[in-house]
Amino acid sequence: MFAALVLGWFFLLRGGEYTLNPSSPWQLDRVVRGSDVRPMAEGQPVDRFENADEVTLHPRGSKVDQYNQGQERNLYRSGEDLCPVRVLAELQRRFPERWTTEAHLPLFRRKDGSMVRREDIVKVVRISAQACGDDPSELDGHSVRRGGATALFN
């Protein structure tokens, strides 16, 4: 779930691109899969995120992508704890099959293979807000994307 939060934040993902929302129709064609996230080193694809200096994400579609052609997004290794490349290296170490035999499935899943749900993300965000002294009731499923956008703006 940590990887889902970090990538949702830094790539400004919509909830439906990385979580399952039981109240909305499921759109597997828009959810981030292992095959959509690639490790790169010096502009070239590599096999492992531990050897990468960059991550590229190619969402296949979005509600704002009228032609569903997808787009390429990238982030570089920062060396910080919340570095998306570092977080993906750890996810790949724990679940290497998500980039091989299970690359066609949603990337952000629990150990049992079930998809991370929107309410799981909301719960973690609210617990974190409370731990920081903020009012958790002011946060919801859009907080990850809004928070990332606000941090980028500032």
Side-chain angles (χ1 to χ4, degrees):
M1 189 163 344
F2 182 67
L5 279 163
V6 170
L7 266 69
W9 172 277
F10 281 99
F11 279 113
L12 307 177
L13 297 176
R14 288 183 162 72
E17 294 171 341
Y18 69 104
T19 64
L20 174 63
N21 185 353
S23 66
S24 297
W26 180 238
Q27 294 180 315
L28 188 57
D29 60 326
R30 292 190 178 174
V31 70
V32 173
R33 306 167 303 171
S35 59
D36 300 326
V37 183
R38 291 186 311 256
M40 306 286 282
E42 298 180 13
Q44 299 299 314
V46 294
D47 291 333
R48 309 215 30 93
F49 285 98
E50 67 186 7
N51 301 325
D53 60 11
E54 174 185 6
V55 56
T56 62
L57 171 66
H58 184 82
R60 289 159 289 123
S62 169
K63 72 180 191 179
V64 297
D65 183 357
Q66 293 179 358
Y67 303 107
N68 278 325
Q69 295 176 335
Q71 56 195 303
E72 192 87 7
R73 302 180 197 170
N74 69 319
L75 292 168
Y76 291 92
R77 182 180 290 275
S78 70
E80 301 295 326
D81 290 338
L82 293 179
C83 171
V85 179
R86 177 184 279 182
V87 169
L88 284 167
E90 179 59 22
L91 185 66
Q92 189 176 43
R93 185 188 69 75
R94 291 182 184 192
F95 305 102
E97 66 279 1
R98 295 189 183 176
W99 281 269
T100 57
T101 59
E102 297 179 1
H104 63 288
L105 297 174
L107 179 60
F108 303 116
R109 293 177 282 136
R110 294 186 180 87
K111 287 181 185 180
D112 67 4
S114 63
M115 180 86 178
V116 171
R117 297 172 310 191
R118 180 180 185 273
E119 58 261 26
D120 299 330
I121 297 294
V122 171
K123 182 177 180 181
V124 170
V125 167
R126 287 181 176 169
I127 289 169
S128 300
Q130 189 168 15
C132 292
D134 293 325
D135 181 1
S137 67
E138 293 182 9
L139 302 171
D140 60 19
H142 297 287
S143 299
V144 174
R145 182 176 165 88
R146 279 195 309 248
T150 300
L152 184 63
F153 178 74
N154 292 326

